Amino acid sequence: MLTIGEFAQMTHLSVRTLRRYHEAGLLEPAHVDPSSGYRYYGAAQIPTAQVIFKLRELDVPLADVRQILITQDPVVRAALVAEHLERLEDRMARTRAAVASLQRLLRPEPAGLAVELRQVPAQLVAGVEDTVAHPDVLGWYAGAMAELDAAVREPAGPAGGLYDNALFSEGRGHVLAHVPITAPVPGVGRVRSTELPGAELAVAVHTGTHDTIDVTYGELGRWVADHTLAVAGPVRETYLVGPRDTPVAARWRTEIGWPVFRVAGAA
């Protein structure tokens, strides 16, 4: 039998943590001396303790750790771990995006954003549209583009998206993923032919990873506030070069079109 101190040394779990796990019923000692209350552990418990240690390093909640330990089916156990790892990777991706945006915002002398006022005509597109929650946009867009790729073999230009203001202000809004076409296409699944109305846009190009596109949105929004009148309407994105074209994020170019009404002196 191993004392709690010896067991702590072997498993890298502190004595205090082992006591807490005992009280929580997560890792109970093999024996507790009834007179002294001293806890003793068996060598066979070391692998279990090491699994707990690794799971907690990955920030798995205690309730989930317990569920993983008591699950006998290895397939179910693997699914529980995979589910948490997916959540962890998503959180890491959000953290990386936030860090990238913050680093760009804290640059001593950020480069000025080149903005063009552009009148765009109505355009025929094949599109997939829905009301989507902001955290789900990337996954939804990937599914929509898969359907568009299957329905439109030769689009007439780069893919794009229309994003309702409510998506950003309320966390949920209307989204339209689309590719330009020269003639209507048969409706297949969610794909429908539709016409994007003409609009006047303040246009800027975001270069590089989409992790920092929020900063470009902020810079473009500030330019719009200083030079034009913003118009209620969806923001337009056109993916001139994106992940579908190259895995090299530094080469990505996303055109952002902000609906505006030109005022005197705007250039």
Side-chain angles (χ1 to χ4, degrees):
M1 299 294 284
L2 303 168
T3 66
I4 191 171
E6 292 170 334
F7 193 71
Q9 184 177 11
M10 295 178 182
T11 60
H12 292 180
L13 293 171
S14 69
V15 170
R16 181 179 179 181
T17 298
L18 287 169
R19 288 171 178 161
R20 187 170 74 250
Y21 288 174
H22 178 197
E23 294 167 359
L26 185 63
L27 182 61
E28 298 185 3
H31 174 70
V32 178
D33 189 296
S35 58
S36 64
Y38 289 168
R39 297 170 173 86
Y40 296 92
Y41 294 81
Q45 292 180 284
I46 292 175
T48 300
Q50 290 173 329
V51 168
I52 295 172
F53 177 77
K54 291 300 180 184
L55 291 173
R56 292 297 290 155
E57 272 195 323
L58 294 173
D59 294 327
V60 179
L62 286 178
D64 291 351
V65 172
R66 182 182 294 106
Q67 187 62 40
I68 291 169
L69 292 177
I70 65 175
T71 299
Q72 299 300 315
D73 188 332
V75 175
V76 175
R77 188 164 56 240
L80 290 171
V81 175
E83 181 180 347
H84 177 77
L85 291 177
E86 185 176 342
R87 291 197 300 267
L88 188 63
E89 289 174 354
D90 181 62
R91 187 167 67 201
M92 289 172 62
R94 293 198 303 270
T95 300
R96 285 194 297 268
V99 169
S101 293
L102 186 58
Q103 287 174 334
R104 180 174 165 185
L105 286 168
L106 293 177
R107 287 187 307 196
E109 296 180 0
L113 185 69
V115 180
E116 171 194 353
L117 287 175
R118 183 188 303 168
Q119 186 74 41
V120 298
Q123 183 181 42
L124 183 65
V125 299
V128 174
E129 56 187 322
D130 203 349
T131 299
V132 184
H134 191 273
D136 302 330
V137 167
L138 290 180
W140 179 89
Y141 187 86
M145 287 308 303
E147 292 189 44
L148 288 168
D149 287 341
V152 182
R153 296 298 183 183
E154 296 183 4
L162 266 66
Y163 302 94
D164 190 71
N165 293 342
L167 182 70
F168 307 102
S169 61
E170 307 296 333
R172 185 178 183 84
H174 182 263
V175 180
L176 169 67
H178 62 80
V179 293
I181 51 179
T182 56
V185 297
V188 179
R190 297 183 296 171
V191 176
R192 296 290 183 274
S193 298
T194 187
E195 185 178 81
L196 301 186
E200 186 165 22
L201 305 173
V203 179
V205 175
H206 171 79
T207 301
T209 174
H210 295 164
D211 288 348
T212 58
I213 199 171
D214 58 321
V215 179
T216 303
Y217 262 87
E219 293 174 354
L220 178 57
R222 183 171 59 185
W223 189 96
V224 167
D226 289 343
H227 295 85
T228 66
L229 296 177
V231 175
V235 174
R236 305 187 182 197
E237 291 186 4
T238 304
Y239 308 109
L240 305 176
V241 182
R244 292 154 53 84
D245 306 302
T246 173
V248 182
R251 298 179 183 172
W252 298 350
R253 295 174 66 245
T254 304
E255 193 174 75
I256 305 170
W258 196 300
V260 296
F261 179 80
R262 192 187 309 233
V263 296

